[in-house]
Amino acid sequence: MKNNTPNLNLSITLKDGRKLGYAEYGDPFGKVILYFHGFPGSRLESAHFHDVAIKNHYRVIGVDRPGMGLSSMDDHRTILSWAADVIELADQLDIDTFSILGHSGGAPFVAACAYAISERLQSAAIISGMAPIEKPESRIGMTRGQIIANSLIQTMPWLTSVMMRLTLMMLKNPNKMMKQMIKQLPEVDQVLFQDPETGKAIIDSTIEAFKNGIAGPAKEMKLLFKAWGFDLENIKCPVTIWQGALDRQVPLSHAEIYAKLIPGAQLKLVEGEGHHSLIRHHGKEILRTLLHH
């Protein structure tokens, strides 16, 4: 990174020959934070941390998960296998220990790393994070439509391809359906989408997930709705849970599941914030808490 300009299109080759894409923001010599994007999403999602990271000497690395952005497809991937990819990235970049944070659908992958590679982690943060759908209490606060959609995906996994194709069409050609979805968000989130620059950044970073088609996002969607393969109770890494009180996409019940099951986890409930606004309005506080846990 030169003159504090982000490097957006970086990649490494993993031992099995796959590419793992990433982008670097902030201070290239700062304390390392790996950012796990939402679902569907990409490495570009962490761009809004750039200015805060420069001022506070943080090196934020946004990483594309398999089949999304610049990262190759992995037909055999699991939620837990992400931890091995992260270790290979850290080793190739000569990073010994680091912190991690994930937003929304990136939360399960934060949990997987906190479970599997805690010896390499300084701390972890989950922001507006999706909890295991298998937990009955995860339905608390969800709309009837969300509950029905989740049940359909669990019973008919092939629907993930259909849903991802529709999602991509909607993102590329914003229509009445997209506008209607935005209207269902709390006002604080609607304002973000109504701002031309911020709204475009959110949409563009999501479209990047489909750079190689719908197969990668569809595969991940299936994984998110199955058992994750590990117990949150066995996590030994310090974890902070951040949740916006107005979040309608991932309700408070999910944050409470993490806070209840992860030993020593701290829950920070922020009034007046939604799903997208929390991470943008409180980025500085989130990163500072992460590195001074």
Side-chain angles (χ1 to χ4, degrees):
M1 233 182 322
K2 295 180 180 179
N3 300 321
N4 291 327
T5 301
N7 279 332
L8 305 181
N9 300 302
L10 303 168
S11 67
I12 62 164
T13 301
L14 299 170
K15 292 174 184 176
D16 62 5
R18 287 183 294 118
K19 293 287 186 182
L20 193 70
Y22 66 99
E24 293 214 25
Y25 302 92
D27 182 349
F29 304 103
K31 293 182 179 179
V32 178
I33 301 168
L34 299 192
Y35 179 87
F36 301 163
H37 58 74
F39 172 81
S42 71
R43 68 197 181 285
L44 305 179
E45 192 179 295
S46 46
H48 59 86
F49 281 123
H50 183 58
D51 292 340
V52 170
I54 288 175
K55 293 175 183 176
N56 294 276
H57 305 293
Y58 305 145
R59 179 186 180 190
V60 177
I61 303 174
V63 195
D64 289 328
R65 291 194 293 278
M68 289 178 273
L70 301 176
S71 291
S72 307
M73 188 70 179
D74 179 5
D75 292 327
H76 305 292
R77 68 178 293 215
T78 63
I79 299 287
L80 268 176
S81 70
W82 175 243
D85 287 354
V86 167
I87 287 297
E88 280 203 59
L89 175 66
D91 287 348
Q92 289 200 37
L93 297 182
D94 293 320
I95 298 168
D96 184 18
T97 58
F98 50 94
S99 297
I100 56 174
L101 79 155
H103 181 250
S104 193
F109 299 93
V110 169
C113 288
Y115 167 82
I117 57 171
S118 62
E119 70 281 357
R120 296 289 292 271
L121 304 180
Q122 294 175 335
S123 60
I126 288 171
I127 303 101
S128 311
M130 174 187 174
I133 296 299
E134 66 196 51
K135 304 291 183 185
E137 57 269 41
S138 70
R139 296 186 175 192
I140 299 171
M142 280 188 175
T143 64
R144 186 168 179 269
Q146 285 175 312
I147 293 172
I148 292 172
N150 290 352
S151 297
L152 286 173
I153 293 166
Q154 287 176 299
T155 54
M156 295 181 282
W158 57 268
L159 279 175
T160 57
S161 294
V162 177
M163 294 184 75
M164 289 299 96
R165 189 171 288 110
L166 288 172
T167 298
L168 180 58
M169 288 173 57
M170 187 173 64
L171 288 166
K172 286 189 171 181
N173 303 287
N175 52 25
K176 290 182 180 178
M177 185 178 176
M178 180 93 166
K179 291 177 181 176
Q180 191 59 39
M181 286 179 65
I182 292 173
K183 283 183 180 179
Q184 293 173 7
L185 299 175
E187 185 177 351
V188 69
D189 279 341
Q190 289 186 44
V191 169
L192 291 177
F193 280 94
Q194 289 162 1
D195 176 77
E197 186 177 340
T198 305
K200 184 177 185 301
I202 294 173
I203 291 172
D204 286 353
S205 67
T206 308
I207 290 176
E208 179 70 9
F210 298 91
K211 190 177 184 71
N212 297 305
I214 63 166
K219 171 69 174 177
E220 178 157 301
M221 194 175 199
K222 291 176 185 176
L223 294 178
L224 292 173
F225 284 85
K226 295 195 302 184
W228 294 354
F230 62 97
D231 294 323
L232 296 175
E233 294 93 334
N234 292 328
I235 289 176
K236 295 180 174 64
C237 173
V239 180
T240 305
I241 318 298
W242 294 81
Q243 179 72 22
L246 302 180
D247 194 336
R248 295 177 190 167
Q249 287 176 259
V250 178
L252 174 59
S253 60
H254 286 237
E256 291 175 336
I257 289 171
Y258 281 119
K260 177 183 176 182
L261 296 181
I262 298 176
Q266 298 179 12
L267 174 58
K268 292 183 179 291
L269 180 63
V270 186
E271 298 296 332
E273 297 293 358
H275 190 73
H276 299 279
S277 68
L278 173 60
I279 197 167
R280 282 169 173 77
H281 293 164
H282 296 269
K284 182 177 180 180
E285 185 183 358
I286 289 170
L287 295 186
R288 181 180 294 161
T289 302
L290 179 66
L291 292 174
H292 297 88
H293 195 286

